[in-house]
Amino acid sequence: MLSNLLSTQDRTKRAVQNIGISLFIKGGSILISFLLIPLTLDYLNPYEYGIWLTLNSVLSWVYLFDIGLGNGLRNRLAEALAKGDNALGKIYVSTTYFCMTVIISIIYLLFLVAQNWLDWYEILNVEADKVERLNFLVTVLFGFFCLSFVFRLLGNVFMAKQLSAANDAVAFAGNLLSLLVICACTKLFPSSLMLVGCVLAGSPLIVFIIATPFAYSVYKSIAPSFGYVRFDYFRPLLSLGVKFMIIQVAVLVLYMSSNLIISHLFGPQEVTPYNIAFKLFSAVSMGFTIIITPFWSAITDAYTKREYSWIEKTVRRICLIWLLLFAGTCVLLVLSPWVYRVWIGDKVEIPFALSALCALYASLINWNNIWAYTINGTGKLFVSLILSVVQAIVYIPLAIILGKYIGVTGIVVSLCISMFISSVVAPVQTRKLLIGSAKGIWNK
């Protein structure tokens, strides 16, 4: 199927090459993430592990504070490179790094002040006698997340250059370091939520910090430089970035708030089975993301050059790949009880209904990502913005209501209902953009 995407066009070849390399590298990352779950569960316990998952979800909200600059950089840099304007690309990269550093420094200082009035035991519904120094752990983890803001911009630069495999390689190295350090911790140190949190949040950051100077020694023409910071170029980054930020808010509401809702309604221990089922079927989503990620910036390149037929042909073939993966997801669902036994043994019980709903949700994510990545590449985000806000507004009250009535499965039902809205509207906008009939909000 992927071989059919090959053509004489450089962007297609580059995309397919990145897919091939990424399938290998990202496959390793997925394997590591699966190995980390039973390893960490053995080191901690379901209650502490549930706290870590919830903390990770809550602190991921920090990524909103980049006001979409990362994805804004990805599109603007891709446009500059499509026009062969490396100097403009260097300005965008330099300005983004500088502004991001300033923004995140202010955010962290404000957080340190706010910590004096925050009680994370109450926020996460955690029993104080079971976990020590939770507030200090949050402060440290928030620092790691904030530093990641700046150094993970390298990934957006790789994406803009249609080098998603390079970004995946750095992420793989970070995941591998996490696995190796956690393995060492299980042999050398007693159980510690503090240690696990610092390792899992800090290891990927360390790898990005090391990779950054090496990468820009290769891509010197667009390497960040204080002399290329131009505040008048912040506006085009921001105008696109704010739209991405609002969409990111909705994504985080859908993806990350589930753990917090489950923890509040049922306790941290119930976060664990939900996340294990979600992790299993998210492997399919990760695989599909590997395939479509290189096409975001490739579509930006094609859209800038008005090569709409290439985009349309590519989208059709990606839809066929989605059908194959949907069939694979159904097979995985049938085999899931056996997979759980091999993977985590009898440590956690996963209801089949929860697995079925997670499988449906993963398929909906994949379907929506076909159109989301295409639309993101064009930069016509207004409809996506509206849809994301509607989804976020619908999801939280629906999840709380259904969660109270039918349990954890009600949370996943709410996710599926929320995602269905864009499953219908996004393909309509994509069609309008490619045939030139997009008017009004469809073309903003």
Side-chain angles (χ1 to χ4, degrees):
M1 181 68 67
L2 292 178
S3 62
N4 291 334
L5 293 171
L6 286 168
S7 75
T8 57
Q9 296 177 353
D10 289 340
R11 85 168 66 88
T12 307
K13 291 181 178 179
R14 188 160 52 245
V16 175
Q17 287 169 356
N18 274 271
I19 290 170
I21 298 171
S22 291
L23 282 171
F24 177 76
I25 296 173
K26 203 69 176 278
S29 291
I30 293 171
L31 177 61
I32 289 172
S33 70
F34 274 76
L35 292 173
L36 272 171
I37 290 178
L39 183 65
T40 310
L41 271 173
D42 282 338
Y43 187 50
L44 301 176
N45 58 57
Y47 190 87
E48 291 177 318
Y49 187 63
I51 293 171
W52 157 247
L53 292 172
T54 307
L55 257 182
N56 187 54
S57 298
V58 172
L59 293 180
S60 293
W61 285 79
V62 71
Y63 291 122
L64 297 180
F65 296 121
D66 78 338
I67 56 177
L69 285 179
N71 283 326
L73 171 63
R74 177 176 178 173
N75 273 41
R76 296 304 184 199
L77 178 58
E79 291 169 3
L81 295 176
K83 298 173 183 176
D85 194 341
N86 286 338
L88 177 60
K90 190 178 183 73
I91 289 172
Y92 280 133
V93 172
S94 303
T95 303
T96 303
Y97 267 94
F98 180 82
C99 293
M100 187 73 82
T101 302
V102 171
I103 290 170
I104 205 57
S105 298
I106 294 172
I107 293 299
Y108 192 65
L109 289 174
L110 291 175
F111 175 79
L112 291 178
V113 174
Q115 271 289 75
N116 294 312
W117 292 277
L118 295 175
D119 183 357
W120 286 96
Y121 288 98
E122 183 177 348
I123 293 171
L124 301 179
N125 190 25
V126 172
E127 297 175 31
D129 60 335
K130 291 188 176 181
V131 179
E132 297 179 351
R133 304 179 70 193
L134 183 59
N135 275 33
F136 178 71
L137 173 60
V138 173
T139 301
V140 174
L141 293 180
F142 194 82
F144 284 137
F145 276 70
C146 287
L147 284 172
S148 295
F149 257 114
V150 178
F151 288 98
R152 285 181 182 270
L153 286 174
L154 177 63
N156 296 101
V157 173
F158 282 142
M159 295 297 191
K161 291 184 68 65
Q162 301 179 49
L163 295 171
S164 60
N167 184 52
D168 291 337
V170 177
F172 170 77
N175 292 334
L176 180 60
L177 180 60
S178 296
L179 178 65
L180 294 175
V181 177
I182 289 293
C183 282
C185 288
T186 61
K187 305 296 183 183
L188 300 174
F189 303 104
S191 174
S192 171
L193 178 60
M194 174 73 71
L195 191 56
V196 167
C198 290
V199 170
L200 295 182
S203 296
L205 171 62
I206 289 171
V207 173
F208 268 99
I209 291 174
I210 295 172
T212 295
F214 283 100
Y216 287 118
S217 67
V218 176
Y219 305 121
K220 294 180 180 178
S221 61
I222 58 170
S225 169
F226 187 76
Y228 277 80
V229 174
R230 302 286 188 275
F231 293 110
D232 50 332
Y233 283 86
F234 182 67
R235 184 174 180 179
L237 284 167
L238 186 63
S239 62
L240 188 59
V242 167
K243 294 177 183 177
F244 276 119
M245 183 196 72
I246 295 172
I247 294 171
Q248 283 175 316
V249 170
V251 170
L252 282 171
V253 167
L254 291 172
Y255 293 165
M256 302 303 181
S257 63
S258 300
N259 288 338
L260 187 58
I261 293 172
I262 293 171
S263 182
H264 263 284
L265 291 179
F266 313 108
Q269 68 279 358
E270 291 301 322
V271 177
T272 300
Y274 163 76
N275 270 270
I276 290 173
F278 188 87
K279 174 69 76 173
L280 176 62
F281 292 97
S282 68
V284 182
S285 299
M286 290 182 206
F288 191 65
T289 301
I290 293 170
I291 294 171
I292 63 176
T293 292
F295 290 104
W296 176 334
S297 294
I299 286 169
T300 301
D301 180 84
Y303 195 77
T304 301
K305 297 174 180 176
R306 300 182 183 277
E307 296 177 13
Y308 305 127
S309 61
W310 179 87
I311 300 174
E312 188 173 4
K313 183 186 298 183
T314 299
V315 169
R316 283 200 305 267
R317 289 169 175 169
I318 292 174
C319 286
L320 293 176
I321 296 171
W322 177 86
L323 282 173
L324 290 176
L325 283 178
F326 177 73
T329 303
C330 294
V331 173
L332 180 60
L333 175 61
V334 173
L335 297 175
S336 61
W338 176 81
V339 174
Y340 292 136
R341 284 197 299 272
V342 173
W343 180 21
I344 58 173
D346 58 357
K347 298 184 183 72
V348 182
E349 183 179 350
I350 315 293
F352 185 79
L354 181 60
S355 295
L357 287 166
C358 286
L360 174 61
Y361 181 52
S363 297
L364 283 172
I365 289 175
N366 286 345
W367 175 258
N368 283 357
N369 278 344
I370 296 173
W371 317 105
Y373 276 55
T374 304
I375 294 168
N376 289 351
T378 68
K380 307 298 184 180
L381 302 176
F382 191 73
V383 172
S384 298
L385 185 154
I386 294 173
L387 289 173
S388 64
V389 171
V390 171
Q391 288 172 331
I393 292 172
V394 168
Y395 170 65
I396 291 181
L398 189 61
I400 293 172
I401 293 170
L402 293 183
K404 288 180 177 178
Y405 278 97
I406 58 177
V408 175
T409 54
I411 307 296
V412 191
V413 171
S414 303
L415 286 169
C416 294
I417 292 172
S418 301
M419 293 292 290
F420 184 75
I421 302 169
S422 57
S423 297
V424 176
V425 178
V428 173
Q429 184 190 11
T430 302
R431 180 62 180 167
K432 287 178 177 291
L433 287 169
L434 296 184
I435 65 175
S437 65
K439 308 294 181 183
I441 63 170
W442 299 102
N443 198 40
K444 291 184 178 180

